[in-house]
Amino acid sequence: MSSGVRICRLATALSRDVIQWQKSTYSGGADGNECVELAHVEDSLLLRESDDPDRILQVTKGGLAALLDQLRLR
């Protein structure tokens, strides 16, 4: 996509075991499973929800900035 944002499944060369996910400090819920997780791989950032870890949003830094800008406008 030209916006620098795409949805992907990890059926690629990237292994879930290799990716180091970080949880937001604002994670909700008693068990911390209601949060967004972030990882950095090569030139991309990966985002996922902890309750659906196989659905991953792959973005560039510019794509993430544009996504956040659009969310702030809503």
Side-chain angles (χ1 to χ4, degrees):
M1 295 179 129
S2 60
S3 66
V5 177
R6 69 184 178 123
I7 302 286
C8 65
R9 296 263 180 197
L10 279 184
T12 65
L14 297 176
S15 168
R16 264 188 274 184
D17 297 331
V18 175
I19 298 172
Q20 294 182 12
W21 293 96
Q22 296 179 339
K23 288 188 179 185
S24 168
T25 57
Y26 294 100
S27 297
D31 57 6
N33 285 334
E34 296 179 12
C35 64
V36 173
E37 297 175 324
L38 175 73
H40 181 261
V41 177
E42 298 171 1
D43 292 336
S44 296
L45 298 172
L46 304 176
L47 302 168
R48 71 178 184 182
E49 290 188 50
S50 56
D51 63 347
D52 189 7
D54 290 331
R55 180 164 286 204
I56 297 167
L57 181 67
Q58 181 178 3
V59 297
T60 62
K61 290 179 184 179
L64 180 59
L67 175 64
L68 293 174
D69 285 344
Q70 288 299 311
L71 292 173
R72 284 186 198 117
L73 294 175
R74 294 178 181 210

